[in-house]
Amino acid sequence: MLLSESNNHFSTIDKPAIIKAEQTKLLFNAMPLSIMATVINACILVFVQWNIVAHERLLIWLFSLLLVTMFRGVLAYEYKKKYEKAYANDKWTSWFIVGVVITSLIWGSAAVWLFPADNVGHQVFMVIVLAGMCAGASTSLSFLRTTIVVYLVAVLTPLAIQFLLLGDKLSVSMGVMAILFFFIVLASSIRIYKNTCLLYTSDAADESSSV
């Protein structure tokens, strides 16, 4: 059983708290890969946009994102080191959400602050990077509904608005596609979230019935 080990060590914790704690553990377990993807994609984006966007903007944006990513890395390390004390402690979930919110806002700001309005090729590249980050987030952040919804809204909304405001046929089409992509990824993410909840709820019920 997925919860059997947790219940052995934390039998005094009520089932909803255990389920939430397991969801938080899944989020933290996925964080190393998420951090690696963030660093690599951010550096690639800055490299590609280097001759198109002002260097000061690129460096400030990159430094801000790397700083928050470092915070998330330290948070993941502390969580792993203090796992038993951290278990079913809402503080860790809250700090995780804070990290996701700031990270997603910085990624979303790229669609405004680093957007190459006169270069379609670089616009498409930015779409690929941001869409890729959202697709990856759908597998690493969907264990908690709040995290994935915040991430998708913060990253894709500025991008869609930017394209719609440009007004030409191609840009409006890309803006509409960004909105469509948002709903597709959101639907997929919510399905993962519901399946995760169902899995742990069923396992908790089986553990209760076996007592």
Side-chain angles (χ1 to χ4, degrees), residues 28-187:
F28 275 101
N29 286 345
M31 191 184 286
L33 186 59
S34 173
I35 288 175
M36 183 173 67
T38 295
V39 173
I40 292 174
N41 286 334
C43 290
I44 291 175
L45 178 62
V46 168
F47 174 77
V48 171
Q49 305 288 62
W50 190 254
N51 294 325
I52 305 297
V53 180
H55 294 174
E56 295 80 4
R57 288 191 176 192
L58 289 169
L59 292 175
I60 291 173
W61 180 85
L62 181 61
F63 177 77
S64 300
L65 185 58
L66 292 180
L67 191 63
V68 176
T69 302
M70 187 182 303
F71 160 76
R72 297 183 69 208
V74 172
L75 185 65
Y77 173 78
E78 289 296 317
Y79 175 85
K80 185 176 181 180
K81 187 172 67 173
K82 302 174 182 177
Y83 170 68
E84 291 199 2
K85 292 182 180 179
Y87 197 87
N89 187 333
D90 286 343
K91 175 185 72 174
W92 295 96
T93 308
S94 298
W95 278 115
F96 185 94
I97 293 173
V98 168
V100 169
V101 169
I102 299 175
T103 300
S104 60
L105 288 173
I106 294 175
W107 274 114
S109 71
V112 178
W113 217 34
L114 310 181
F115 191 79
D118 300 322
N119 193 309
V120 175
H122 284 262
Q123 291 175 12
V124 172
F125 181 79
M126 176 170 287
V127 170
I128 292 172
V129 172
L130 296 183
M133 291 303 301
C134 289
S138 70
T139 61
S140 63
L141 298 179
S142 295
F143 306 115
L144 202 62
R145 184 162 46 192
T146 301
T147 53
I148 187 60
V149 171
V150 166
Y151 192 92
L152 293 178
V153 170
V155 175
L156 292 177
T157 300
L159 183 65
I161 292 175
Q162 188 72 275
F163 278 121
L164 293 174
L165 289 177
L166 288 177
D168 60 275
K169 183 186 294 186
L170 177 61
S171 297
V172 171
S173 297
M174 293 183 71
V176 172
M177 290 177 67
I179 296 172
L180 179 60
F181 179 75
F182 166 81
F183 284 109
I184 291 173
V185 176
L186 180 62

Side-chain angles (χ1 to χ4, degrees), residues 10-43:
F10 306 101
S11 56
T12 59
I13 304 174
D14 61 284
K15 293 299 187 295
I18 291 177
I19 293 170
K20 185 175 182 180
E22 291 292 332
Q23 291 172 316
T24 300
K25 184 175 73 172
L26 290 172
L27 291 170
F28 275 101
N29 286 345
M31 191 184 286
L33 186 59
S34 173
I35 288 175
M36 183 173 67
T38 295
V39 173
I40 292 174
N41 286 334
C43 290

